[in-house]
Amino acid sequence: NTINEAIRNTITLDVNYLYRKKLRRWLKLVEEGRNPAESLRQCGITESLGLPFEQKSNPENTLCVLEMIESVYRSNYDYRVNLARFILLPCTTLMLGGVVGFVAYAIMAPMVEIITILTNFI
């Protein structure tokens, strides 16, 4: 696929609205004939995505660079998901413990109050 088709296909994916807006601007600049790497920087998209489109570097390495960028972003995403999981799992356990404690208090507190009132009659 050409760069235009790849950008157009990316726009049709389920991406963030603001990112889709940047991609449309990038597509417009690329279709005007500008350098993809420079137009990518002008649109405010991550500069690391401009590495494969540099004309000065070796153009045969474009796929290798794209695969490398994909693996870096995928590992960063996996790291953040695992970090969130490690933080949220104990918080969920504490919240469930709090709910159980509240239910136990809600059951026991009226009984204690009833016993206190009845002992005042003696």
Side-chain angles (χ1 to χ4, degrees):
N1 290 341
T2 62
I3 295 174
N4 299 353
E5 291 175 14
I7 298 171
R8 198 171 289 116
N9 290 338
T10 306
I11 290 173
T12 61
L13 295 175
D14 184 26
V15 293
N16 186 343
Y17 173 75
L18 296 176
Y19 194 70
R20 183 178 291 140
K21 189 175 175 183
K22 290 178 183 181
L23 286 173
R24 285 186 182 132
R25 184 170 175 228
W26 185 35
L27 177 64
K28 181 181 174 187
L29 292 175
V30 168
E31 287 179 344
E32 288 177 358
R34 295 191 185 178
N35 184 356
E38 292 175 12
S39 60
L40 186 99
R41 289 185 188 101
Q42 289 176 354
C43 294
I45 300 174
T46 309
E47 287 192 29
S48 62
L49 291 177
L51 292 174
F53 303 113
E54 289 289 336
Q55 299 298 327
K56 299 170 191 165
S57 64
N58 194 358
E60 289 89 28
N61 289 335
T62 301
L63 290 177
C64 295
V65 172
L66 284 173
E67 288 174 358
M68 185 259 319
I69 291 172
E70 179 203 6
S71 68
V72 167
Y73 281 124
R74 187 177 304 272
S75 67
N76 286 345
Y77 175 78
D78 289 340
Y79 170 74
R80 289 187 177 127
V81 166
N82 285 333
L83 182 65
R85 187 177 299 139
F86 290 138
I87 291 171
L88 293 177
L89 187 63
C91 292
T92 305
T93 305
L94 290 174
M95 286 176 48
L96 287 174
V99 169
V100 169
F102 178 75
V103 169
Y105 178 76
I107 291 172
M108 296 297 173
M111 287 187 234
V112 171
E113 190 66 29
I114 290 171
I115 292 172
T116 305
I117 292 172
L118 290 176
T119 55
N120 287 336
F121 289 130
I122 297 178

